[in-house]
């Protein structure tokens, strides 16, 4: 009997049906996502800015999805442990991470990390930004930025600044001041920002480019004097503190930022579901207020905007790291 071969049109129909059948589980999964608890990985210790923001976001996402969002704290190695853990999780949308400047942009530049931001993650949205604040003890002889720079020029290395380790924002902020102002200062590394702030309060170091959260209370209590913000313009949360540009050092902009990432390979319908959820919750008034209380501004960028932002940040810090030969511990 003569064998009848399928026509080209029949083959195309078969291939299309197979493709649709293959996509059907993803489509159905996305429609009901999530149908069980979701894990939110936090890369820094409990009680810090990253942890507190994650808990606020997690609660809002839980309400939006109707499923628990479980905080999974995995601090260590300047945020790299939590990023590596997330990269190794199934790409099904049930594990995501709030990554920030350190483990996303800086750590891979100064040390060998066990993950690739390009290959192992899908950027979903930028969710918050916040300035760092250059602070000195309230009884410091330095009343403004010019006083600090004059002292550093008069006696190179005499002015000390605290950091929470190589590659931290406190460290990079000090390096940026030295590069922009062409001065030499003495960086003192600590094992955490809290320890550096404690020594600053005790007068053991002269200044620190600090995250807003650990120093805001001391500024309000008149124990620390704010000198300048690292943002491009004045902050709504700290309207009385000038930017570095206003204080006399142009071009120094180094904001903290946080964003949501999923493991690479997460189906696009689920990524899109995350993004739409973030757009909704990040616009809610009470979330914005809670973020402002932490010294940061809530937002939700598009994926394209976030990718462009990441490329810009990595390029900026790659130059700073190379120019100053900054190495990780």
């Amino acid at each position: 009997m003569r064998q009848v071969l399928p026509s080209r049109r029949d083959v195309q129909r078969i291939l299309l049906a197979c493709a649709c059948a293959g996509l059907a589980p993803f489509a159905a999964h996305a429609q009901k996502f999530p149908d069980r608890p979701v894990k939110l990985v936090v890369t820094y210790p409990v009680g810090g800015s990253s942890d507190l923001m994650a808990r606020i976001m997690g609660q809002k996402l839980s309400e939006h999805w109707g499923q628990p969002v479980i905080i999974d704290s995995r601090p260590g190695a300047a945020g790299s442990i939590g990023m590596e853990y997330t990269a190794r999780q199934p790409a099904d949308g049930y594990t995501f991470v709030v990554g920030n400047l350190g483990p996303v942009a800086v750590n891979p530049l100064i040390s060998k990390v066990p993950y690739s931001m390009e290959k192992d993650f899908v950027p979903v949205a930028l969710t918050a930004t916040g300035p760092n604040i250059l602070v000195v003890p309230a009884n410091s002889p330095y009343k403004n930025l010019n006083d600090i720079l004059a002292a550093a020029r008069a006696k190179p290395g005499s002015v000390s600044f605290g950091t929470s380790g190589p590659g931290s924002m406190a460290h990079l902020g000090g390096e940026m001041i030295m590069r922009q102002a062409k001065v030499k200062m003495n960086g003192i590394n600590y094992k955490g920002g809290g320890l550096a702030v404690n020594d600053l309060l005790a007068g053991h170091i002269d200044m620190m480019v600090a995250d807003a959260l650990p120093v805001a209370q001391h500024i309000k209590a008149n124990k620390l004097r704010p000198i300048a913000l690292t943002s491009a313009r004045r902050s709504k949360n700290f309207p009385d503190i000038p930017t570095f540009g206003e204080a006399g050092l142009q071009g120094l902009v180094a904001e903290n930022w946080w964003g949501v990432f999923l493991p690479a390979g997460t189906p696009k319908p689920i990524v899109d579901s995350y993004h739409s959820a973030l757009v909704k919750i990040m616009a809610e008034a009470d979330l914005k207020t809670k973020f402002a209380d932490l010294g940061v501004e809530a937002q939700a960028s598009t994926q394209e905007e976030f990718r462009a932002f990441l490329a810009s940040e990595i390029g900026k810090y790659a130059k700073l790291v190379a120019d100053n030969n900054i190495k990780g511990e």
Side-chain angles (χ1 to χ4, degrees), residues 34-57:
D35 59 6
R36 54 187 169 89
V38 176
K39 187 160 53 180
L40 196 177
V41 177
V42 181
T43 66
Y44 287 97
V46 173
S49 301
S50 294
D51 175 70
L52 295 174
M53 276 186 278
R55 292 177 188 277
I56 295 166
M57 290 172 58

Side-chain angles (χ1 to χ4, degrees), residues 21 67 71 84 92 100 127 150 158 168 190 202 215 217 237 251 258 265 299 309 316:
Q67 291 289 342
I71 301 299
E84 179 191 10
D92 57 7
N100 75 337
T127 52
S158 63
S168 65
Y190 292 83
V215 298
Q217 59 181 321
N237 300 319
W258 295 261
Q299 52 189 283
F309 176 83
K316 176 170 73 175

Side-chain angles (χ1 to χ4, degrees), residues 4-22:
V4 179
L5 298 175
S7 67
R8 177 178 294 180
R9 180 173 295 178
D10 290 335
V11 172
Q12 289 174 338
R13 286 199 193 100
I14 293 169
L15 292 174
L16 179 60
C18 290
C20 290

Side-chain angles (χ1 to χ4, degrees), residues 37-38 42 80 85 92 126 141 156 177 188 198 202 209 227 274 310 329:
V38 176
V42 181
S80 293
Y85 172 80
D92 57 7
L126 179 70
I177 293 172
I188 309 295
N198 287 341
V209 180
I227 300 296
Y274 261 88
L310 290 171
E329 291 183 330

Side-chain angles (χ1 to χ4, degrees), residues 215-299:
V215 298
Q217 59 181 321
H218 301 303
I219 292 172
K220 291 178 181 178
N222 295 317
K223 293 180 179 179
L224 292 177
R225 178 185 301 135
I227 300 296
L229 294 175
T230 61
S231 51
R233 54 186 178 275
R234 291 207 183 198
S235 168
K236 296 177 183 177
N237 300 319
F238 306 99
D240 297 329
I241 305 177
T243 65
F244 268 91
E246 292 173 323
L249 198 57
Q250 300 298 323
L252 197 154
V253 177
E255 287 195 284
N256 286 325
W257 53 262
W258 295 261
V260 167
F261 296 83
L262 285 162
T266 302
K268 187 176 185 302
I270 292 178
V271 177
D272 292 343
S273 176
Y274 261 88
H275 187 266
S276 63
L278 289 170
V279 168
K280 180 181 183 301
I281 69 162
M282 302 308 291
E284 294 186 13
D286 60 332
L287 182 145
K288 285 179 173 290
T289 298
K290 290 176 181 177
F291 270 42
D293 290 341
L294 299 177
V296 300
E297 182 178 346
Q299 52 189 283

Side-chain angles (χ1 to χ4, degrees), residues 108-246:
L109 295 171
I110 65 173
S111 59
K112 187 175 181 180
V113 296
Y115 56 86
S116 164
M117 290 307 305
E118 182 179 354
K119 297 178 181 178
D120 294 333
F121 294 96
V122 177
V124 180
L126 179 70
T127 52
T129 57
N132 296 278
I133 310 174
L134 173 60
V135 288
V136 300
N139 61 357
S140 170
Y142 308 133
K143 308 297 183 185
N144 52 50
L145 183 61
N146 286 334
D147 288 346
I148 295 171
L149 298 181
R153 291 188 180 107
K155 190 175 180 181
S158 63
V159 177
S160 61
F161 65 95
T163 90
S164 47
S168 65
M169 194 62 251
H171 176 209
L172 297 176
E175 293 285 352
M176 293 176 83
I177 293 172
M178 290 193 288
R179 185 181 67 173
Q180 295 287 105
K182 296 181 173 58
V183 298
K184 176 64 177 174
M185 297 188 294
N186 183 25
I188 309 295
N189 292 325
Y190 292 83
K191 291 186 177 180
L195 296 174
V197 172
N198 287 341
D199 263 14
L200 181 67
L201 289 165
H204 298 317
I205 52 177
D206 294 313
M207 68 179 208
M208 182 178 179
V209 180
D211 191 14
L213 181 62
V215 298
Q217 59 181 321
H218 301 303
I219 292 172
K220 291 178 181 178
N222 295 317
K223 293 180 179 179
L224 292 177
R225 178 185 301 135
I227 300 296
L229 294 175
T230 61
S231 51
R233 54 186 178 275
R234 291 207 183 198
S235 168
K236 296 177 183 177
N237 300 319
F238 306 99
D240 297 329
I241 305 177
T243 65
F244 268 91
E246 292 173 323

